[in-house]
Amino acid sequence: MLGQMQNWPLLVSKFLEHAEINHPRREIVSMLPEGGQFRYTYADHAVRARKCAQALERLGIGFSDRVATLAWNTHRHMELWFGAAGMGAVCHTVNPRLFPEQLVYIMNHAEDRILCLDVTFVPLIEKLASELKTIEHYVIMVGRDHMPETSLPNVLSYEDLIDAESGDYRWPTFDENTACGLCYTSGTTGNPKGVLYSHRSNFLHTLLALQGDTLSITSKSVILPVVPMFHANAWGIPYAAAGAGAKLVFNGPHHDPETLHKLIMEEGITVTAAVPTVWMGMLKYLEATGKDMGKLKTVTIGGSAVPRVMIDTFQRNYGVRVNHAWGMTETSPLGSLGSENGAVENLSEKEKLDIQCKQGRSVLGVEMTIMDDDGNVLPRDGKSSGHLMVRGPWVIDTYYKADKNATDADGWFDTGDVACIDEYGYMQITDRAKDVIKSGGEWISSIDLENAAVAHPKVAEAAVIGVYHPKWDERPLMVIVTEKGESVSTEEMHAFLEDKVAKWWLPDDVVTVEEIPHTATGKISKKSLRDQFTDYKLPTY
Ligand code: AMP
């Protein structure tokens, strides 16, 4: 017997309808790539998103056609999210930090029909346009006054495009399993792979993002999602903000601590989210200027492991709680978050900090387990580490256009991360499977070493890779960037790490570089580092 409740398809246009009806005067503020700031309300936003859908239809976009965006976090980008997906097309958020050949690959692979781009990216796309096989129109996301001289063919101004529409449009109803958004993983090896979200998966993910234990978003929140909309849907924040009726503030092309801080203070930001590198810069800025964080209460940090010193400094010096999160493009992306559960709330401050360094508890809707190489489930004892496997309704089943699915027979997706899970359910990533350092048959966690090293006051950033060693197979090499004018010897680093990690984990060498390479999503690029140090001879031979 089936239930007899209404079968309401879970479509993302519902978030916008909800915001328009229930929170019409709540603001959306946006820094503009062409300069200046823009401010309007969810009511205005909803009208422009409908005009956007009408304009896309006029350009011939139909059901399930791909509309690409190459854009910073702005109100226009969000209009396109809702406009394209709401009408039944697919919004393909392209990460501008990918290599040019990857950009060409993914837009051709996705068969994008329209590319909507910020004015910032016009020179980049002019160089690639002749290779983009399927793009019929280039929509530059500015008004006519700011349209640049360009060699791009079939160019339109976004503002002109939507100004020509009435906004008199009803969001269509269709199957909730329809594709909604497309995002490619940055892919450290081979070509990037497409993750095709459905309306249903995004809707359910949004309900999760609005749980009390996750991103701390309520209707009273003022949110600055620094995490880009092209990186795993800005962790779902724009949808969640509309769903809650929270005020949204977009930083546009600006990622410098000074501009972010100005927005935090002027707009009264209470919640924000980004990868650790953004906050590393912010903490330095705060220390140098003596400024505080105003009304900011919670910062969600993920994408890479959050160093203990970062959590401690945010909480102790600025009264901002750090919410350590883990996820992937393939998991929409929220998989686990680090809010306190009842079992840990009475622990000592030090023990709580230990737990916050972990990547959090799996959320309702994401099942998580760890397995050894033979697929045996390992105990949740906080020590046994193995392959982190996940499954759930917003976890990938099959990569876009792949001929076989990405899961095992039981539906588990292998994340490529190595982790352990403790008795309270907190998961801790020890490494990416391919970054783990295998020394004499034992594993050394590069993440643990890096996190311990960045607590050194003279160290700005640290990365650890395994380098060939004739006796041990691999031994750790630590690569650091020091604070300006400082230097740190291997001996000094050993002395600093001695009481923080096992003795046999101490790096065989510490090398100082000007800059550590990063990937398109702000992670340390271990692959580039390994290439750079491929013939490196450790002094411990
Ligand atoms: P992406 O798809 O670009 O978001 O990358 C996902 C990967 O980032 C995961 O598989 C992890 O390796 C890494 N990652 C995400 N969050 C964390 C975290 N909090 N700590 C350590 N690694 C993380």
Side-chain angles (χ1 to χ4, degrees):
M1 180 163 50
L2 293 177
Q4 293 184 317
M5 306 309 280
Q6 296 181 16
N7 193 358
W8 201 67
L10 306 179
L11 303 176
V12 299
S13 50
K14 293 289 181 196
F15 302 137
L16 200 47
E17 278 179 343
H18 174 82
E20 185 179 16
I21 294 167
N22 297 289
H23 307 278
R25 283 181 289 280
R26 203 69 169 128
E27 280 183 322
I28 299 176
V29 182
S30 185
M31 300 293 286
L32 301 174
E34 68 270 31
Q37 204 181 49
F38 179 79
R39 187 181 295 269
Y40 66 171
T41 62
Y42 277 111
D44 304 327
H45 179 83
V47 173
R48 280 175 49 104
R50 286 197 293 270
K51 287 185 177 188
C52 176
Q54 288 176 306
L56 292 173
E57 269 187 6
R58 177 160 48 90
L59 293 178
I61 292 296
F63 201 67
S64 289
D65 281 344
R66 271 76 66 207
V67 174
T69 58
L70 191 69
W72 301 114
N73 289 5
T74 66
H75 68 294
R76 293 185 185 118
H77 199 174
M78 183 155 139
E79 287 163 11
L80 272 155
W81 270 29
F82 280 116
M87 65 172 283
V90 178
C91 184
H92 172 199
T93 48
V94 181
N95 181 345
R97 297 184 181 132
L98 293 174
F99 298 123
E101 49 285 16
Q102 292 178 318
L103 290 174
V104 169
Y105 171 84
I106 66 171
M107 284 190 261
N108 285 338
H109 188 260
E111 299 174 71
D112 295 324
R113 290 189 58 195
I114 293 185
L115 173 60
C116 303
L117 67 162
D118 273 338
V119 67
T120 336
F121 301 120
V122 170
L124 170 68
I125 293 303
E126 281 175 341
K127 291 198 201 96
L128 307 180
S130 64
E131 295 170 70
L132 300 175
K133 304 274 184 279
T134 58
I135 304 284
E136 295 158 36
H137 300 279
Y138 292 89
V139 177
I140 303 182
M141 294 160 71
V142 283
R144 185 174 301 180
D145 296 354
H146 291 96
M147 281 294 276
E149 284 282 320
T150 175
S151 62
L152 288 174
N154 301 333
V155 177
L156 298 158
S157 139
Y158 177 80
E159 293 292 337
D160 271 3
L161 198 61
I162 67 167
D163 274 354
E165 302 298 337
S166 65
D168 186 9
Y169 177 88
R170 277 179 75 86
W171 297 112
T173 295
F174 43 80
D175 184 342
E176 65 187 23
N177 289 300
T178 301
C180 173
L182 177 62
C183 187
Y184 282 71
T185 60
S186 41
T188 43
T189 50
N191 282 322
K193 289 183 274 189
V195 180
L196 190 59
Y197 307 108
S198 66
H199 281 260
R200 175 185 154 83
S201 70
N202 279 344
F203 198 104
L204 294 175
H205 184 268
T206 304
L207 295 184
L208 152 85
L210 292 173
Q211 286 173 20
D213 260 354
T214 59
L215 296 176
S216 309
I217 295 176
T218 70
S219 57
K220 286 197 263 180
S221 304
V222 182
I223 310 177
L224 174 67
V226 182
V227 52
M229 291 168 75
F230 53 73
H231 184 198
N233 294 332
W235 303 351
I237 293 173
Y239 289 140
K247 174 174 163 182
L248 251 179
V249 180
F250 290 122
N251 53 306
H254 308 284
H255 293 87
D256 61 293
E258 198 173 345
T259 310
L260 296 180
H261 186 264
K262 198 161 172 271
L263 285 174
I264 288 170
M265 300 310 281
E266 286 179 357
E267 300 299 332
I269 303 295
T270 60
V271 177
T272 180
V275 295
T277 41
V278 168
W279 304 119
M280 222 138 62
M282 177 63 80
L283 289 177
K284 268 193 208 150
Y285 173 80
L286 294 175
E287 199 187 332
T289 56
K291 293 181 174 167
D292 64 24
M293 284 299 242
K295 296 185 177 155
L296 188 65
K297 293 274 176 307
T298 311
V299 52
T300 297
I301 315 183
S304 300
V306 189
R308 185 185 189 91
V309 59
M310 180 175 282
I311 302 174
D312 200 25
T313 310
F314 260 122
Q315 295 183 164
R316 198 194 299 251
N317 298 2
Y318 303 104
V320 176
R321 187 184 149 77
V322 172
N323 188 17
H324 191 170
W326 171 90
M328 311 179 72
T329 306
E330 287 90 335
T331 62
S332 295
L334 298 176
S336 67
L337 291 107
S339 63
E340 258 176 37
N341 65 10
V344 305
E345 68 180 341
N346 295 322
L347 296 179
S348 71
E349 287 307 310
K350 182 190 164 295
E351 286 166 320
K352 280 191 194 175
L353 198 55
D354 290 342
I355 285 183
Q356 282 191 284
C357 292
K358 303 184 181 194
Q359 277 73 5
R361 295 178 286 121
S362 63
V363 292
L364 174 64
V366 174
E367 291 178 4
M368 225 172 230
T369 190
I370 42 171
M371 292 183 189
D372 67 14
D373 287 344
D374 301 321
N376 301 309
V377 172
L378 296 172
R380 292 176 167 237
D381 59 7
K383 288 194 275 291
S384 309
S385 73
H387 304 283
L388 176 66
M389 316 289 286
V390 294
R391 61 183 182 191
W394 54 86
V395 175
I396 190 158
D397 180 73
T398 310
Y399 287 104
Y400 182 50
K401 291 186 178 172
D403 40 24
K404 59 177 181 11
N405 56 12
T407 57
D408 70 11
D410 296 321
W412 290 110
F413 171 69
D414 185 345
T415 62
D417 288 328
V418 177
C420 53
I421 303 178
D422 70 18
E423 58 185 308
Y424 306 121
Y426 288 84
M427 182 273 286
Q428 182 161 28
I429 303 274
T430 49
D431 236 319
R432 284 295 290 168
K434 55 187 183 313
D435 295 340
V436 131
I437 298 155
K438 297 184 179 97
S439 172
E442 296 288 342
W443 288 9
I444 298 176
S445 159
S446 64
I447 293 184
D448 280 3
L449 275 173
E450 287 157 8
N451 285 347
V454 292
H456 192 298
K458 294 186 197 163
V459 173
E461 198 174 10
V464 178
I465 53 169
V467 169
Y468 172 72
H469 191 284
K471 180 167 175 201
W472 303 108
D473 292 337
E474 273 184 353
R475 287 293 302 158
L477 167 70
M478 181 174 282
V479 182
I480 57 170
V481 175
T482 56
E483 296 293 355
K484 218 174 177 164
E486 300 288 2
S487 67
V488 181
S489 66
T490 305
E491 294 69 37
E492 186 179 347
M493 184 54 83
H494 281 186
F496 181 73
L497 295 176
E498 223 162 36
D499 58 348
K500 300 179 180 69
V501 299
K503 194 160 186 309
W504 61 278
W505 281 30
L506 292 176
D508 286 30
D509 205 2
V510 178
V511 176
T512 302
V513 294
E514 283 289 306
E515 201 182 339
I516 288 176
H518 288 89
T519 66
T521 49
K523 302 182 210 307
I524 291 171
S525 174
K526 297 280 173 87
K527 183 180 178 293
S528 311
L529 269 184
R530 277 194 287 265
D531 290 347
Q532 201 175 325
F533 288 95
T534 182
D535 296 322
Y536 193 76
K537 195 159 178 293
L538 290 165
T540 50
Y541 265 27

